[in-house]
Amino acid sequence: MANPSRLRACALATTAVLLFALPAGCGDGTKDGDLSAQTLDWKDCPAPSQAEGGGTAPSPLAGGATWQCATMKAPLDWNDPKGDTIGIALIRAKATGPASRRIGSLVFNFGGPGGSGVTTLPAFGEDYAALRTRYDLVSFDPRGVGRSAPVKCESDSQLDTYFQQDATPDNSAERAALLNRTKQFNAACETNSKKVLPHVATTDAARDMDLMRQVLGDDKLHYFGISYGTELGGVYAHLFPKNVGRAVFDAVVDPTQNPEQSALGQARGFQLALDNFAQDCTSKTTDCPVGDTAQDVKNRIAKLLNDLDKKPISGIPPRLLTQTAATNGIAQSLYSKDFWEYLTEGLEQAYDGDGRVLMLLSDSLNGRSEDGEYSNLTAANIAISCVDEKPRYSAEYVQQKLPDFRSASPLFGDYLAWGMVGCTGWAVPGAADHPDVSAPGSAPILVVGNTGDPATPYEGARKMAEALGEGVGVELTYKGQGHGAYDSKDKCVQSTVNGYLLDGKEPKGGTVCS
């Protein structure tokens, strides 16, 4: 892991995985150079690019309608809006209901930073069929991601090495190796993506969304943000409070935390999810195959990781399952309770010397396809995080903080602590300690927190609601497991969210779904 936000990247996008030139030019072809006046050329979507994760073109929707794609031109540099442009890749499914009932477009961001909305929305499109009755469902690849001026750092073979590195060094030699490997990765990003790196901040993406709102023909931005998408939505609301329509934030980032606090919160969150997995497995009527008690399950996992640190086992040939890859795989499986069965299977096999399932889970988290090609998920995640986040942490500082992280999580503590060095030496200075999401004058925003969320711990929902401001943030609690609430299929959550987005029914703040 190269960045403390890495584990929160794309829970939904990487779930979908389980189932590079920069386009720029001085002319944009719009009237008087007004990008808000451009007309989008919607066509049936092609197969995803390698940077988007590869695969086949999205299947037709129920009823035979097709997914449509287009490219929106946006300024490379928002401080120079008449200068070079980049292409922002969009996807949509048109509303199914009568035109008289259509509200507008509902724009989705599924998380990351670094996740491709163009590939993720079709993977989950049917989950939002109710919302499609009154909205065109729209998503996009944010700048730096997928088809939208993608950040490129290292080759596929180099990334294989990068993800095999020892991310939890135990001595000075291993620390030096980690720092050197991080330096190499960051230098490759600067060499291969120098032109775009200063312009992939969340504030830039928020400005793209307001341009998108205008190009789509909407007076207000109706928005559904998940995970990092809630941070992007909060920044949008801060910059354009009067343009916010009906908006929902699910799996909510705590906007008050700096990167260290966020990493420490994730350590607690993933440890809680692991505790819940272990308790669930050992409380079933049949024997839990990976431990006799919840503590035994965790002890055996800890021993496995310790053994892998000394001697990796067979993974997906020719790669071995290292301690880092196994930790990645375990983390990926904790994003959804539906993945717990894969974690059980992966652990059973790993205890017998077979690391294939855990490595598949690790590959999913890192955006690696079965053919060995990587999406640009990791490159974009690090580039966006590092231009957003001002703090830069030294190895000495991390070493001092290890006891706090180990207290928060014996399993994930070291892993997340050392991730804090990922932006050290980055070519572009970071913007702030944490994002500003205060949005006085905005329409109400429904903020949904999940008590069992590992990647964006539950407490972040209340912090977001408070930071948005009085009368803006409306908190809804879901007592469940996994990253996010709406896609848990909980009827209470879905009816509340749908009621707000479709009919403007604002729930009472503090409503609880269990």
Side-chain angles (χ1 to χ4, degrees):
M1 184 184 73
N3 188 280
S5 63
R6 196 57 201 93
L7 278 183
R8 90 178 171 210
C10 291
L12 291 179
T14 53
T15 299
V17 169
L18 279 177
L19 307 171
F20 279 140
L22 174 65
C26 295
D28 52 55
T30 58
K31 183 179 178 181
D32 299 323
D34 179 7
L35 292 175
S36 66
Q38 66 185 289
T39 300
L40 298 175
D41 183 17
W42 293 101
K43 297 179 179 178
D44 286 354
C45 294
S49 68
Q50 178 182 339
E52 289 175 310
T56 59
S59 301
L61 291 140
T66 58
W67 291 96
Q68 297 178 317
C69 287
T71 300
M72 180 186 78
K73 294 176 181 176
L76 169 64
D77 183 352
W78 272 103
N79 291 321
D80 182 19
K82 301 294 185 181
D84 287 358
T85 62
I86 59 174
I88 304 297
L90 308 181
I91 188 169
R92 76 173 179 184
K94 297 191 73 172
T96 57
S100 60
R101 294 271 295 161
R102 181 181 177 275
I103 296 171
S105 298
L106 181 62
V107 176
F108 288 79
N109 181 282
F110 294 94
S116 166
V118 172
T119 57
T120 304
L121 181 59
F124 293 90
E126 293 305 317
D127 292 352
Y128 304 106
L131 299 174
R132 191 176 161 227
T133 59
R134 300 195 67 189
Y135 290 100
D136 294 345
L137 304 185
V138 176
S139 193
F140 63 107
D141 289 351
R143 55 175 57 218
V145 177
R147 289 187 188 271
S148 300
V151 174
K152 181 173 176 58
C153 296
E154 293 192 323
S155 68
D156 293 333
S157 61
Q158 288 172 320
L159 286 172
D160 274 345
T161 302
Y162 179 78
F163 288 118
Q164 294 290 89
Q165 69 181 319
D166 189 341
T168 55
D170 302 311
N171 54 52
S172 58
E174 291 180 355
R175 285 193 294 273
L178 175 64
L179 295 173
N180 185 58
R181 190 68 189 82
T182 301
K183 183 178 179 180
Q184 290 177 18
F185 180 90
N186 293 354
C189 297
E190 182 178 10
T191 297
N192 294 316
S193 303
K194 187 173 184 178
K195 188 172 184 178
V196 74
L197 286 187
H199 307 296
V200 296
T202 297
T203 51
D204 295 316
R207 291 184 171 94
D208 291 340
M209 287 206 303
D210 200 59
L211 176 61
M212 194 183 307
R213 172 191 64 79
Q214 299 170 68
V215 172
L216 291 170
D218 292 332
D219 293 332
K220 302 285 186 180
L221 179 76
H222 306 294
Y223 181 73
F224 199 135
I226 301 164
S227 194
Y228 161 78
T230 67
E231 181 177 323
L232 174 58
V235 170
Y236 178 89
H238 173 70
L239 294 176
F240 306 102
K242 300 297 184 182
N243 295 345
V244 175
R246 297 174 187 174
V248 172
F249 295 173
D250 186 6
V252 187
V253 171
D254 185 340
T256 69
Q257 293 182 330
N258 63 30
E260 178 187 343
Q261 293 165 332
S262 177
L264 193 59
Q266 281 199 318
R268 297 189 186 99
F270 276 94
Q271 187 64 46
L272 174 63
L274 184 69
D275 292 345
N276 292 336
F277 159 76
Q279 184 61 41
D280 178 78
C281 186
T282 55
S283 65
K284 296 184 183 300
T285 54
T286 56
D287 290 339
C288 174
V290 291
D292 297 327
T293 65
Q295 189 58 52
D296 184 42
V297 171
K298 291 181 285 186
N299 289 344
R300 292 189 68 187
I301 293 174
K303 183 179 185 302
L304 170 68
L305 295 179
N306 187 58
D307 290 345
L308 290 173
D309 190 31
K310 300 181 180 71
K311 185 179 180 181
I313 61 175
S314 176
I316 299 175
R319 293 177 299 150
L320 299 175
L321 182 74
T322 62
Q323 180 191 46
T324 299
T327 305
N328 266 322
I330 294 167
Q332 167 68 342
S333 68
L334 296 176
Y335 273 104
S336 171
K337 191 173 182 178
D338 292 341
F339 282 8
W340 287 3
E341 62 179 291
Y342 301 124
L343 177 55
T344 300
E345 180 183 358
L347 291 172
E348 280 190 279
Q349 289 188 4
Y351 294 148
D352 289 334
D354 182 351
R356 284 176 296 175
V357 170
L358 288 182
M359 181 156 274
L360 281 171
L361 288 163
S362 177
D363 287 347
S364 176
L365 184 73
N366 295 325
R368 187 186 196 273
S369 63
E370 291 183 6
D371 60 9
E373 294 184 341
Y374 284 87
S375 72
N376 87 314
L377 170 62
T378 295
N381 177 276
I382 294 173
I384 295 168
S385 297
C386 292
V387 77
D388 278 352
E389 300 169 353
K390 186 176 182 179
R392 302 294 189 246
Y393 300 101
S394 68
E396 292 74 21
Y397 184 83
V398 171
Q399 196 75 34
Q400 294 172 12
K401 293 295 179 177
L402 283 176
D404 294 338
F405 278 82
R406 289 168 178 166
S407 177
S409 174
L411 188 72
F412 296 103
D414 280 43
Y415 185 78
L416 284 156
W418 283 108
M420 293 195 298
V421 303
C423 291
T424 301
W426 190 253
V428 182
D433 287 340
H434 56 80
D436 190 346
V437 301
S438 60
S442 169
I445 296 172
L446 184 57
V447 178
V448 189
N450 180 350
T451 58
D453 197 313
T456 50
Y458 168 66
E459 294 77 13
R462 179 156 300 172
K463 295 292 183 63
M464 175 67 83
E466 292 172 349
L468 288 168
E470 187 175 356
V472 179
V474 179
E475 188 179 3
L476 170 68
T477 294
Y478 168 55
K479 292 185 176 180
Q481 302 295 329
H483 189 38
Y486 189 89
D487 278 304
S488 71
K489 309 295 193 298
D490 180 80
K491 292 181 179 179
C492 172
V493 171
Q494 292 195 339
S495 65
T496 303
V497 170
N498 292 350
Y500 182 56
L501 289 175
L502 294 172
D503 302 311
K505 295 178 181 178
E506 180 185 336
K508 182 180 179 181
T511 297
V512 177
C513 292
S514 57

